[in-house]
Every structure is written in structure tokens, then in C-alpha cells.
Amino acid sequence: MALDMKFFEEMEQRIPHGKVRTRFAPSPTGYMHVGNLRTALYTYLIAKHQDGTFILRIEDTDQGRLVEGAVDVIYKTMAECGLFHDEGPDVGGPVGPYIQTERRGLYGKYAELLIEKGGAYRCFCNKDDQEETEVAEGVAIHKYDGRCSRLSAEEIQAKLDAGLPYVVRQKIPREGTTTFSDAIFGDITVPNEDLDDQVLIKSDGLPTYNFANVIDDHLMGITHVVRGSEYLSSAPKYNLLYQSFGWEVPTYIHCSPVMRDAQHKMSKRHGDPSYEDLIAQGYLTDAVVNYVALLGWSPGGEQEIFTMDELVKAFDLKGVSKSPAVFDIVKLRWMNAEYIKAMAPEAFYAVAEPFLKQAITNPDVDLKAIAALLQPRCEVLTDIPERVDFFDAVPEYDNELYTHKKMKTNPENSLTSLQTMLPALEALQTWDNDSLYACLIALCEQLGVKNGLLLWPLRVAVSGKASTPGGATELCALLGKEESLKRIRAAIEKLS
């Protein structure tokens, strides 16, 4: 088959040069898990830190695993996280198309070119035509012995004329070693005898992931490739492909995995959260992005809260760790709380309102005032309904809730405290937090007791909870005089 060399020359002329170019290349197989989000984020930060170009490419050649709507999830997640791509399927660019199935005509041509250059060969063998090879620790594996690479031109032509199906395999050198460089792990050398002649083009004409990646990365001018460390074993074969074509090898950045604990990688199968799950669980996007950036990367210094602009400025590959990063939900909750505290009150109310309305149906309750109490005390938004449901009605609770060692309260003295404060509160003319607090503190001084002896029983009486988004008098102010007094009388009856 005669190759159209002009086609390859024109493809080379399209490739942009002179700037850092990175790509995020997800497969549309479901939600964005945390490791994927980190890859996208690091890829974006590398490009933007050096005033480069960030590209989105959709890798959909594995048709059997595609999930309907997953491409929209990718667009939505990246937009929410502030990872705006400069080139991609939706915005176009000089080296499109940016969807692999729309590029399928390219891969066969480059496979033919690779065969011509001696870096690949047609393999007519079926699955049983392979040699069993003994490897370390007594484990036997099947590894193709490369027999079709030794066919003569006449034998190959005869098989083609007979219409025999074939795959295209990479031709790995039988001797020597291959060394590749990684920005995180340094130089790694492997014996060529440990590498297999991987399939590049399947019998249906579609490329494998490993081949399509190399072709697309070269033709899109990708200078830095970020991927998980599980692909370290494939990197020598990528290098050999680049070398066979005579192309420049990009900078590899292999990131260690994100772990659920010291032994287990995070996995959707094991119930570990995706980005979508974390948002549904009440975490803020900015907090999630900030936290994910620090999973395996250290900026140095004490700063932990970063805006996207600050991440772009600070990101340096020297801070990326070789060690796996453990996903710590407690740390994420803390970081989320810090983001919530820093929000403008109006912005917090906007995100809190749906959760407040899940629990509070009374139209007379001031939701904005409750949000103001919640904001400095809230870690995740999904905690809100359970923390404020008492504004509608006091839940069932045990009288032991009145026992508080620090406040020196118990059900017996709490009954006395409520009975004592009731007349004073009934007589109160102005019903707001300041007036309520002043009234009760004055009563404590008059009785010669500490404040907690009155305030703790009052908090339990009006809320039925040990933890509330505000103190006793703040809650009474929001509930109003009539409802507060009604709840105090009910508590007295309960304790009696």
C-alpha cells in the first residue's frame, strides 16, 4: 500500500508549537471521580502556570463502556470547577476534531506509517496462537511471541490476498533496554524483553487506548502528559512509539493514586464519592477543588486555602509527591467549613436556602436570620436540615438531655430554672436577643447562680437538641414570644 506522504506533512504543519499545551482526556463512562478531577486540575494548572493552552479531548473509542449523558457531566463538572478549556469539542480549535471516534480515520493511516518505519507489523494470529512464558514467582502468563513480525513480505501479501483478519502490533526490540523520564519519578529503565508487542489497531479497525493517545497527543502538540501512576508500566512502550515515528517525546507527569486508606485506592465500586457525590453531600465546589489540589501536591509553607488564581500562581511540579495521597473526609469537612465562614452572608443564604426549606415549613420563621446563625457553625450544607428542624416542632427527646456536667444542670434543677424564668419572660415587653439575654443574666445575678444554670435548660426546652445553631436567647428571639413560652411550659410539664 502506497502511503500518501503529503497527508502526513500537512498534519505536521497543523501542529502548534512554542507554548505549553496540556490536555485532559476523559472517557465518558460516568461521573468524575476524585482522581480524575485531580488529573484535570493538575493538567489545567500546568498549562495556566506557564501561560499555555489547556485542551479537552473526549476519548470514546471504548464504545462498550460509554454512559449516556456522561459527556455533559464532564462539561458541567469542569465548568463548575473553573477548569475552562481553550480548545475542545464544544469550542473548536486548530487541531480538531477533539473526539476520538471522529478521528478514527487517522489511526489506520498512522499505523500504516508505523509499519513502513519498522515500528509495527500486521498480526494474523488468533487468540490461541501465542507462547506460554514463565515469569517470576512461578506464575505463568501468556505473552505473544512476535511470530508475525518474522513473516516475509510474500507471506504477508498472501494472507492479505486471502482476506485474513489481522491486528496491528507494536514491534518491540527483542534486546536492550528502554529508558523514559518522568517529572515526578525521574528516569526509569526497563528491559525490552519485559515489554509485549501490544495491539495498536484492533481487527475492527479501531485503535487501542495506548495507540490513539500517542497519535492524538503528537498531532495536538501536547507538551505535558498528566496521568495516573498505574500507566508507568506503559510509558516505555509510548516512548518507543514516539521514537519509531521520529517524534519528540512529551514531558510525563505520573501522579500517585488517591487512596481511601493506606491499603485501598478510592473506588466508586466501594462507595467512595465522586465529585457529584461530594456536591450532593453538601460540600462547596471551591472547597472540593482546593482540597483535591492538595492531594499529592504541597505548595510549601503554611497556606492551605487557595483561590484558583493562587493555585495557578503557586503550582510547581516539584511539590508533587511520589507517595499515594489519602483522602481525608475530616480534613475536607474542615476546609469546607472555612469556605462557608468566608462567604458573603447573601451567598451563604443562597446555597443554604434549599436545605433550610427542607426542614422549616413555618412561613413566620425568618430563614435569613437562621442562616446568619448557622454560617459560622456549619461544616457541610446537608447538616442544615437536622440542625434546624426544631424550628417547626420540638422533636422527641429524653429528659437526660438536661444533664450537662459543665453547666452543672440535671433534670431536677432544670425544672426549677424553667419555672423560675417563666414569669420573668412572660413579663418581658421587648422580645429580641439583647432583651432576652439581659433579662436572664439579671435573673442569674439575682439568684446567685452561673448563667449556664438557666441558659442550658432554656436551650433544651425550646429546641429539644444538645447542639443548635445559636444560643438559647437567639433561638427564642427567632421563635417569637408566643412559641417560646409555649415550649417552655411544655418542658416544665415534661420534667414534672
Side-chain angles (χ1 to χ4, degrees):
M1 182 187 295
L3 293 176
D4 180 4
M5 299 310 295
K6 186 177 180 183
F7 166 80
F8 298 112
E9 291 169 7
E10 289 174 351
M11 293 301 293
E12 290 294 314
Q13 289 167 6
R14 293 178 60 197
I15 300 173
H17 296 283
K19 290 179 73 173
V20 166
R21 289 174 62 83
T22 68
R23 52 74 170 169
F24 176 53
S27 298
T29 55
Y31 290 131
M32 184 99 73
H33 60 71
V34 169
N36 260 0
L37 178 57
R38 187 184 65 171
T39 298
L41 177 59
Y42 286 6
T43 306
Y44 175 85
L45 294 176
I46 289 167
K48 296 305 169 184
H49 180 73
Q50 300 180 68
D51 195 27
T53 301
F54 175 57
I55 298 163
L56 173 64
R57 184 172 77 221
I58 302 298
E59 300 196 336
D60 60 346
T61 52
D62 190 350
Q63 294 286 298
R65 295 180 60 230
L66 301 189
V67 173
E68 188 176 349
V71 173
D72 293 331
V73 170
I74 292 168
Y75 287 140
K76 178 174 179 285
T77 301
M78 292 182 68
E80 287 180 3
C81 294
L83 306 179
F84 300 107
H85 47 283
D86 304 298
E87 299 174 22
D90 53 338
V91 297
V95 290
Y98 294 88
I99 297 176
Q100 275 191 339
T101 50
E102 296 177 11
R103 302 170 62 85
R104 70 172 69 194
L106 291 171
Y107 307 118
K109 293 178 181 178
Y110 277 91
E112 292 293 335
L113 179 62
L114 192 61
I115 291 171
E116 182 79 11
K117 288 177 174 287
Y121 59 93
R122 295 177 183 84
C123 174
F124 300 90
C125 298
N126 60 40
K127 289 184 179 179
D128 297 324
D129 292 330
Q130 50 193 356
E131 177 183 277
E132 191 171 79
T133 304
E134 195 77 16
V135 296
E137 300 178 7
V139 178
I141 63 164
H142 288 290
K143 179 180 174 184
Y144 183 64
D145 63 4
R147 65 187 66 176
C148 281
S149 68
R150 297 185 286 275
L151 293 175
S152 68
E154 292 76 19
E155 289 173 311
I156 293 170
Q157 191 59 51
K159 291 178 183 291
L160 290 173
D161 291 343
L164 292 181
Y166 64 87
V167 299
V168 176
R169 287 184 182 272
Q170 183 175 5
K171 190 173 184 178
I172 301 289
R174 298 295 163 204
E175 298 176 350
T177 61
T178 295
T179 299
F180 73 95
S181 297
D182 180 83
I184 310 304
F185 290 88
D187 288 350
I188 297 177
T189 300
V190 295
N192 288 333
E193 64 182 5
D194 291 350
L195 306 176
D196 65 319
D197 288 5
Q198 65 179 343
V199 173
L200 305 178
I201 300 287
K202 295 175 280 189
S203 57
D204 61 5
L206 280 175
T208 58
Y209 169 85
N210 289 329
F211 188 56
N213 251 270
V214 168
I215 302 303
D216 289 341
D217 285 346
H218 172 70
L219 295 180
M220 292 183 177
I222 302 304
T223 61
H224 295 69
V225 174
V226 182
R227 57 166 67 101
S229 58
E230 65 269 24
Y231 291 106
L232 274 169
S233 60
S234 301
K237 292 184 280 190
Y238 295 144
N239 261 31
L240 289 169
L241 283 173
Y242 279 102
Q243 290 167 14
S244 295
F245 279 117
W247 295 339
E248 185 177 348
V249 179
T251 299
Y252 292 120
I253 301 103
H254 286 87
C255 300
S256 293
V258 178
M259 309 291 284
R260 179 172 12 123
D261 52 44
Q263 286 80 37
H264 303 95
K265 281 179 66 174
M266 285 188 76
S267 165
K268 187 71 175 169
R269 287 199 314 276
H270 294 110
D272 295 317
S274 66
Y275 164 79
E276 293 272 341
D277 293 330
L278 291 171
I279 300 308
Q281 290 166 16
Y283 293 91
L284 302 175
T285 293
D286 288 349
V288 172
V289 170
N290 188 157
Y291 180 70
V292 167
L294 301 177
L295 279 174
W297 171 71
S298 173
E302 300 298 317
Q303 183 177 351
E304 291 188 284
I305 306 297
F306 289 85
T307 65
M308 183 62 82
D309 286 344
E310 288 172 332
L311 285 174
V312 167
K313 186 176 180 181
F315 194 78
D316 188 329
L317 290 176
K318 292 176 183 174
V320 178
S321 174
K322 294 180 185 178
S323 303
V326 176
F327 186 85
D328 183 353
I329 199 72
V330 174
K331 181 67 177 284
L332 177 57
R333 281 184 71 96
W334 167 82
M335 187 169 283
N336 202 65
E338 294 300 304
Y339 268 86
I340 285 175
K341 288 174 193 172
M343 294 176 82
E346 301 79 14
F348 176 70
Y349 179 68
V351 297
E353 184 182 18
F355 296 93
L356 290 166
K357 287 183 174 178
Q358 283 180 30
I360 302 172
T361 58
N362 185 348
D364 296 329
V365 175
D366 186 347
L367 296 183
K368 286 189 176 180
I370 293 174
L373 281 183
L374 272 171
Q375 187 171 356
R377 303 171 174 89
C378 181
E379 290 187 328
V380 291
L381 300 174
T382 45
D383 286 349
I384 291 175
E386 187 181 1
R387 299 198 68 194
V388 301
D389 57 2
F390 67 88
F391 280 101
D392 263 13
V394 178
E396 287 295 322
Y397 65 94
D398 191 284
N399 283 346
E400 275 307 306
L401 200 55
Y402 287 98
T403 301
H404 194 302
K405 287 185 179 179
K406 187 177 178 183
M407 304 296 183
K408 295 185 169 52
T409 62
N410 55 49
E412 292 74 25
N413 63 22
S414 292
L415 173 60
T416 302
S417 294
L418 291 171
Q419 289 171 328
T420 303
M421 74 177 74
L422 182 60
L425 294 177
E426 287 174 331
L428 196 62
Q429 296 299 309
T430 303
W431 193 270
D432 59 30
N433 181 54
D434 291 343
S435 302
L436 284 161
Y437 188 77
C439 171
L440 292 172
I441 296 307
L443 187 57
C444 287
E445 291 175 357
Q446 181 184 329
L447 296 172
V449 298
K450 292 193 173 178
N451 300 350
L453 200 68
L454 296 189
L455 294 177
W456 181 256
L458 178 58
R459 182 194 287 209
V460 175
V462 298
S463 71
K465 290 181 180 286
S467 175
T468 59
T473 56
E474 291 172 307
L475 301 183
C476 288
L478 286 167
L479 286 165
K481 184 172 184 177
E482 183 180 346
E483 179 65 20
S484 298
L485 295 177
K486 175 184 167 186
R487 293 186 181 196
I488 294 168
R489 294 186 189 110
I492 290 171
E493 186 176 340
K494 180 177 171 66
L495 284 166
S496 300

